[in-house]
Amino acid sequence: MHLMLPKPYQDELIYSVIARHFAYMQPIVIKSAQETIDGTSWFSTRYVRNANRLAEKTRPIWGLSGLEILDRHTLLPFNGAFLKPDAHLKCTECFLETNPHGGSVALGMGNSSVIEPKLFRFCVLCLEEDMDRFGETYWRRQHQLSGTLFCVKHGELLRNSMAPMSPLDRATMDATHYCRADAEPVAVLSGRETSLAREIATRSADILHGMPSRWLSPDPSEQYQTAAVEVGYGFGITMLQTRAFGADLIDYFGGELLVKLGCRLNERSRSIRKIFYKDGANHPLLHVLVQHFLGERQKATRSTLERQGLDNSFRQEWKCPNTFAKHEVGFRIPQVYLRRAKRGMREHYFHARCTCGYVFCFERPREGDPAMPLVKIVNNYGPAVETEVKRLYAQHGFIKKVCTELKMQHKTVRRILDGIRAGFEPSPEKIAALRKTWLENGRVKRGTTYQTLLKYDRKWLDSFPSRRGTRSRVPKPQPRHADDVALASQIEASARELREQGGLVTVNGLSRVLGRKLNVRGLKLMPNAAYILCKEIDVPSQALDQVRQYIAKARGAPRAE
């Protein structure tokens, strides 16, 4: 049975098509008339139910497939733009069949940081054009996007209609009857808020229509991390200052504008932290805000250097200013990071660490060579400079002469000649102690010990086996045979004590007598202790059965010594 629904206009919601249909028909019994569409009297304002069946019923008039209906006449392309491919496929399958609720749940749009529009929105100029051209108007998708306050086509501030986006009754809201030219605007904006809101509306519309973008990816979290580090939100080796990022983002857009956009954010918001994770926030409005903020920050930080003649050079392509290091002609410093100044007049600067050991800070390049940094502060000179200091001192015999030629401080030259390390550099004895501590703690890749070794003794860390480059997880040390035998005797003694007390031998009882948690699954590597435990235990345990099967398969039935 074919449906005689009107043909959708460009960018029209399916709900709007159905609303126009009933505005033409004006049935007496609305429920039975609505059920002729897809067997129910409720219609989604943002999506569609059973798009495949709707495509079959409207094929003579519309000529669209179910996927084309979802792509051109629902909000799925916008709300699902940052879903993982498998989640997006699940949503699409739900809307193509008879499970729109499952599709909405899979979208994960229930974000407490974003408030969805309560009323349908429209543009006054679009309303006038539609009435002159068609004699009616309709609900456009672009006007109903979260955080959208402007019509992209006319640059006009949107207005609230009288039709709710989530009607409580079965009535369908036709745009022609619920849009008034004298309706109130959705918000009152200042000059800066207007420019920001227009940019957000444009970005949102591009996502809706699938326009190419550097950020348009199912998983842009890695791009966000790279951009955040580039503009100075990196901390340590692998961490991000998400709280500072959130505070600056809110300060950039302004709290009042975020409220008008429907965002409830603060510097500690979970959504801001999660957007840097692979399984992070899915709501597209949050992605739009972060993308615009990071893009503007990148322009701002790069513009200060572009005025120095670096418009065609990447920030990472810097030469090493250490003239005593034997670098190749095309060598570039591998580690150059942007840092945000915590105090003082500087907003940002660059911190560079060369492979020759030369560590320094700079703000701009030298005149005449846009790839050569103008050194402002030297943190470490490295072996090449130390060798040159010793050579000049052996040649002249005066520290003052060395300071004059190398432009170094007297105390620095004296420290190098005496073989004293810088105050912030750990001594060889300290490095040895850190190595021992790190090994005793199970080689955990976090904490001050690991960060210090990673900074000053990376080659030693790189000597360990790696599954992910040179900084992967190091395997835990295996238990010794002596520990296995000792634990077996302790379990046997504890079981004897429990039986003398008249109780059953259980894992919890043994843990209480031993004074520590007895990890049953951890006994896979301790066959003697596992054998004694299997023999003494009175209450069967699934974990213990797994351990017994593992040992029997790997080594046969072990015996206690």
Side-chain angles (χ1 to χ4, degrees):
M1 176 182 175
H2 295 301
L3 289 175
M4 302 301 293
L5 292 176
K7 190 172 183 179
Y9 293 117
Q10 183 179 3
D11 202 44
E12 183 178 13
L13 286 166
I14 289 297
Y15 176 83
S16 176
V17 178
I18 297 174
R20 288 194 294 118
H21 171 70
F22 288 115
Y24 300 154
M25 291 183 55
Q26 297 184 356
I28 299 176
V29 183
I30 186 65
K31 180 178 179 181
S32 60
Q34 291 173 339
E35 290 178 349
T36 60
I37 304 294
D38 59 358
T40 183
S41 58
W42 174 84
F43 303 102
S44 173
T45 55
R46 297 174 176 86
Y47 309 109
V48 65
R49 177 192 292 104
N50 206 335
N52 280 336
R53 188 168 67 176
L54 180 63
E56 293 178 3
K57 291 183 176 182
T58 58
R59 191 175 302 278
I61 300 177
W62 294 8
L64 300 175
S65 66
L67 288 175
E68 289 174 332
I69 291 176
L70 289 176
D71 185 61
R72 301 180 188 179
H73 300 289
T74 69
L75 298 185
L76 179 61
F78 177 74
N79 292 336
F82 298 98
L83 289 178
K84 300 294 183 295
D86 54 345
H88 194 282
L89 179 61
K90 180 180 178 180
C91 292
T92 304
E93 292 175 348
C94 290
F95 291 126
L96 287 175
E97 303 303 329
T98 57
N99 188 17
H101 178 71
S104 300
V105 172
L107 278 172
M109 297 299 293
N111 194 311
S112 60
S113 299
V114 179
I115 302 175
E116 300 295 329
K118 303 297 183 182
L119 301 173
F120 278 101
R121 298 173 174 181
F122 69 98
C123 168
V124 173
L125 297 182
C126 290
L127 173 63
E128 295 177 356
E129 288 184 358
D130 292 343
M131 296 305 294
D132 293 340
R133 185 177 179 184
F134 307 118
E136 61 179 353
T137 190
Y138 58 94
W139 302 123
R140 286 171 168 81
R141 296 187 302 164
Q142 188 264 319
H143 296 168
Q144 320 310 326
L145 301 180
S146 302
T148 294
L149 305 181
F150 278 88
C151 172
V152 174
K153 181 179 179 181
H154 298 104
E156 184 75 12
L157 190 64
L158 298 178
R159 299 172 185 264
N160 283 322
S161 70
M162 298 180 294
M165 284 286 287
S166 301
L168 299 178
D169 54 13
R170 297 189 181 93
T172 52
M173 311 295 179
D174 179 32
T176 305
H177 295 83
Y178 287 90
C179 294
R180 297 174 52 186
D182 58 348
E184 293 292 331
V186 293
V188 178
L189 304 175
S190 64
R192 185 175 182 275
E193 290 177 343
T194 298
S195 61
L196 288 174
R198 282 178 174 165
E199 176 63 24
I200 292 171
T202 302
R203 286 177 177 267
S204 300
D206 290 343
I207 294 174
L208 175 66
H209 298 118
M211 301 296 292
S213 168
R214 57 174 290 205
W215 307 102
L216 193 57
S217 167
D219 182 21
S221 58
E222 293 186 0
Q223 294 176 273
Y224 295 158
Q225 294 175 20
T226 303
V229 171
E230 181 182 347
V231 298
Y233 292 103
F235 176 72
I237 303 298
T238 59
M239 298 180 66
L240 288 176
Q241 303 179 64
T242 54
R243 185 177 299 180
F245 176 85
D248 290 346
L249 183 141
I250 294 171
D251 181 67
Y252 175 80
F253 287 102
E256 294 184 0
L257 176 60
L258 290 176
V259 172
K260 296 171 185 177
L261 294 173
C263 287
R264 296 183 292 189
L265 296 174
N266 57 62
E267 62 183 31
R268 298 172 180 262
S269 291
R270 189 170 176 225
S271 299
I272 295 179
R273 300 196 308 270
K274 287 183 64 179
I275 206 164
F276 292 102
Y277 303 148
K278 287 188 175 182
D279 298 327
N282 293 330
H283 203 289
L285 179 57
L286 299 177
H287 286 270
V288 168
L289 296 177
V290 170
Q291 290 171 11
H292 178 73
F293 174 70
L294 288 175
E296 292 301 312
R297 278 302 171 97
Q298 286 177 322
K299 292 179 183 178
T301 54
R302 289 172 178 174
S303 64
T304 58
L305 295 177
E306 288 172 355
R307 287 196 292 271
Q308 304 296 329
L310 294 181
D311 47 342
N312 294 324
S313 299
F314 292 99
R315 185 171 291 113
Q316 291 81 4
E317 296 182 350
W318 295 99
K319 299 178 182 178
C320 179
N322 185 2
T323 56
F324 304 106
K326 297 179 180 180
H327 293 306
E328 297 180 357
V329 177
F331 175 81
R332 296 295 183 267
I333 301 177
Q335 299 182 41
V336 180
Y337 302 104
L338 185 69
R339 292 287 183 261
R340 300 180 63 81
K342 296 181 179 179
R343 60 183 68 89
M345 299 300 294
R346 294 183 302 169
E347 181 180 356
H348 59 269
Y349 62 95
F350 296 101
H351 184 268
R353 181 181 295 275
C354 187
T355 54
C356 66
Y358 198 69
V359 184
F360 61 98
C361 299
F362 67 99
E363 295 179 349
R364 58 182 183 273
R366 295 180 184 175
E367 295 183 3
D369 191 351
M372 179 63 70
L374 180 60
V375 179
K376 189 175 184 66
I377 299 175
V378 178
N379 303 115
N380 190 32
Y381 287 95
V385 177
E386 293 176 0
T387 302
E388 182 65 17
V389 168
K390 295 176 182 179
R391 187 190 68 81
L392 289 176
Y393 182 74
Q395 178 181 351
H396 301 289
F398 296 99
I399 294 181
K400 186 175 181 180
K401 185 68 174 179
V402 178
C403 295
T404 302
E405 291 197 15
L406 298 182
K407 298 180 180 180
M408 297 173 62
Q409 295 182 359
H410 186 281
K411 63 178 182 180
T412 303
V413 175
R414 170 56 63 186
R415 176 181 60 79
I416 293 176
L417 293 175
D418 294 342
I420 302 174
R421 301 174 69 89
F424 60 85
E425 296 182 53
S427 62
E429 294 77 13
K430 180 65 173 178
I431 290 292
L434 290 173
R435 288 181 178 182
K436 182 179 179 182
T437 302
W438 187 67
L439 292 174
E440 291 176 350
N441 293 336
R443 305 172 185 177
V444 180
K445 288 177 30 179
R446 62 178 179 271
T448 306
T449 302
Y450 174 74
Q451 293 290 335
T452 305
L453 289 173
L454 193 65
K455 185 174 183 180
Y456 296 104
D457 201 13
R458 184 186 289 264
K459 290 184 179 180
W460 180 76
L461 289 178
D462 293 346
S463 64
F464 288 90
S466 164
R467 287 181 296 176
R468 202 185 311 171
T470 58
R471 294 167 52 194
S472 66
R473 187 183 301 276
V474 179
K476 294 182 178 179
Q478 301 294 325
R480 298 179 301 174
H481 176 71
D483 298 334
D484 182 17
V485 175
L487 181 60
S489 62
Q490 292 174 9
I491 292 175
E492 191 173 14
S494 300
R496 188 183 310 111
E497 181 179 345
L498 287 173
R499 288 197 174 92
E500 291 176 355
Q501 297 174 358
L504 296 175
V505 178
T506 63
V507 175
N508 290 335
L510 291 172
S511 300
R512 185 176 64 256
V513 175
L514 289 171
R516 59 189 177 90
K517 178 69 175 178
L518 186 60
N519 184 7
V520 177
R521 289 188 172 87
L523 298 180
K524 290 182 178 181
L525 302 177
M526 307 180 74
N528 292 283
Y531 175 76
I532 294 298
L533 181 62
C534 294
K535 185 177 71 171
E536 299 290 346
I537 200 75
D538 294 331
V539 179
S541 169
Q542 183 179 1
L544 192 59
D545 292 340
Q546 294 176 359
V547 173
R548 187 186 296 112
Q549 294 173 6
Y550 175 84
I551 295 176
K553 181 180 178 181
R555 307 177 185 178
R559 297 184 179 276
E561 297 182 6

